[in-house]
Structures are given as C-alpha cells and as structure tokens.
Amino acid sequence: MTAGAAQAVPALRPGACQLWWASAGDAHPRLGGLLDKGERARADRLRRPADRALHLTAHALARTVAAAQLGIPAESLPLTAVCKRCGGPHGKPQPPLPVRLSWSHSGERVVVALSLGTEIGVDVERIAPFAPETAERVLCAPERTVLAALPAVRRPEGFVRYWTRKEALLKATGDGLAVAPELLHLTPPDAPPRLLSWSGPDRPRLPLHLYDLDAGTGYLAALAASGAPVRPTQHDGSALLAAVGAPTAVPGTPGHPTLPVAERPLAS
C-alpha cells in the first residue's frame, strides 16, 4: 500500500462507521500483494474470473482501510478469526482492537464497513428472483405473510431487503448463519429497519441498531451495530484502490499520491 492510499483514509471518529464502496472492476494485479498467503490461496481456488475479482477487491479494500487506521502496511495487517461459539480459528476475521471490520460483496458491488470498538456487520445483495423454499428458510411466518401481500413485481426486492438486514445483524453479533435467520423477526421492507424479536436462547444481550444503505441501482444493503448506534458515512473505495501502487500524483513526493475522499452521512 502506498503512503498516498493510507493518507486518503480519514481517521475514524468515535461513533462513526465508514462505508467504503468499490466494484469487481477495480481489481488489478497490484492488489494481490496486499493479501496474505491464505487469502491468495482462496482466490486461486475460485474458478470464475468474476469471483476472483470480487475476492481480490474486497480483501484488498478491507486491508487497506483497516491498516490505515492502525498505521501499518496493509500486507502486514493481522486478521484473526475466532469462532464465537467454539473458540476455533474460524468466523469473522478481525484486525487488532479497537478497529472493527465487516465486508460483503454481491454481483459487481463490494462494501467494507469500519468502526472503532463497536461490533458491526454489513451486507450487500443484488436484487434477483428467489425460490419459495429459500423464503421458508430465511423468513419467519409474519414476514412471509408480509412478503406474499406485496405485488409480485416487488417481492424480489422485499425478500432481499429482509435478507440484507438479517445478514447484517448476524454478522454484527458474530453468530453468522449458525443462527437460523428465520428466528429473527424484522419490520416490513418498506418500514424503518428494526429487530422486533429474536427467538431462541441465542438472543444477544446488547441492543442492536440497524440501517438501510444506498447500494446503487439493482442492489440493496444494510448495516448493523451491536451495543451502540453508529453514524454511517460513505467513501470512494474505487479511487482508493486505484491509488494502491500507482505512480506518484504529487511532484516531489514519490510514492505519496493524494486522493480526495468525500465523506457524507448516510440516512438511516
């Protein structure tokens, strides 16, 4: 990672959550040097070039923004996964405290979420038709009723809205799909996002906060925070990745291109 790329990442403020957006088209060979051995091996196992591009973009972007907050090179960033349930070396990879990290990709879109201390989860999904049996596995009975009452043309969007919200919540709590999504009951797709109930013994003790995000045409996304609310701001991950390893953009400062990054609060 160049110093210029690191300088383009604003310092995290308490209570803020940075959302960095990029796309599969931002993948370029220089990014491979930011990944660790395991991440590169997983990329090599992906057969479709589009999947490898998404993997490379997401991991390189996550490493770049997290490492910038910690003041270390992206390629040296330790990401440790510890299972919430068994303590094993799997689960959501995390950098050293206090930085907390979550990322997601779907279709062409990539999003990385970053906070200080607050556990977060983010999910982005392309709007697409779904199978009825998928809704049975993901939605609780009241949610299936709400979805069935929507006009047929709006059901794919309604389902994806439910799914992104649930996925974000389960990422924020660290449970992932070890908790069945149908145990969570959420507000309808057109209503402000909120968890209404969580069935079973695994309901988290900390309050959960949920935000719908603008992911662009054809996509939906959601952000969740555990314990304390956050203030989401959006940032240009595509421009940031373009600066990684790029030639200098500032005369007299080799390796230190500067990059303006807009910061704008997102409506929740």
Side-chain angles (χ1 to χ4, degrees):
M1 175 177 62
T2 65
Q7 291 169 356
V9 180
L12 270 168
R13 302 184 184 97
C17 179
Q18 294 180 2
L19 294 159
W20 292 85
W21 294 92
S23 71
D26 299 321
H28 58 77
R30 297 187 304 270
L31 299 183
L34 305 183
L35 276 57
D36 64 22
K37 183 178 179 180
E39 291 167 332
R40 289 194 295 270
R42 288 193 294 275
D44 290 341
R45 290 195 293 269
L46 296 172
R47 300 182 62 181
R48 297 176 63 245
D51 293 337
R52 291 197 296 273
L54 277 174
H55 178 93
L56 177 60
T57 300
H59 285 257
L61 182 58
R63 284 183 161 275
T64 298
V65 296
Q69 300 298 335
L70 295 166
I72 61 176
E75 58 271 22
S76 302
L77 177 71
L79 290 175
T80 304
V82 178
C83 177
K84 173 182 177 179
R85 296 173 178 273
C86 71
H90 52 270
K92 182 170 68 172
Q94 288 296 325
L97 288 169
V99 176
R100 299 290 84 186
L101 183 65
S102 180
W103 68 81
S104 177
H105 54 74
S106 177
E108 291 289 316
R109 299 292 279 152
V110 172
V111 61
V112 172
L114 203 66
S115 73
L116 281 181
T118 302
E119 295 292 346
I120 51 174
V122 70
D123 189 57
V124 61
E125 300 289 342
R126 182 167 51 186
I127 300 171
F130 63 95
E133 56 267 27
T134 303
E136 291 286 335
R137 293 195 305 268
V138 170
L139 305 183
C140 64
E143 292 169 340
R144 294 196 298 270
T145 299
V146 169
L147 190 67
L150 293 176
V153 70
R154 293 188 54 214
R155 286 175 199 158
E157 180 177 349
F159 174 79
V160 174
R161 181 66 81 190
Y162 273 130
W163 174 248
T164 55
R165 292 173 176 179
K166 292 191 178 198
E167 181 82 353
L169 285 167
L170 293 173
K171 286 183 176 182
T173 62
D175 291 294
L177 295 181
V179 168
E182 64 265 28
L183 296 179
L184 281 63
H185 180 198
L186 306 183
T187 49
D190 292 339
R194 186 164 59 91
L195 175 67
L196 298 175
S197 65
W198 182 311
S199 303
D202 296 312
R203 180 183 173 89
R205 297 179 181 178
L206 294 175
L208 297 172
H209 306 272
L210 193 56
Y211 310 84
D212 288 334
L213 306 175
D214 180 2
T217 303
Y219 293 85
L220 294 174
L223 171 73
S226 176
V230 294
R231 182 177 62 87
T233 58
Q234 64 178 359
H235 302 264
D236 188 351
S238 297
L240 184 68
L241 291 179
V244 174
T248 178
V250 179
T253 56
H256 289 69
T258 57
L259 183 69
V261 178
E263 180 174 333
R264 177 167 62 84
L266 289 172
S268 62

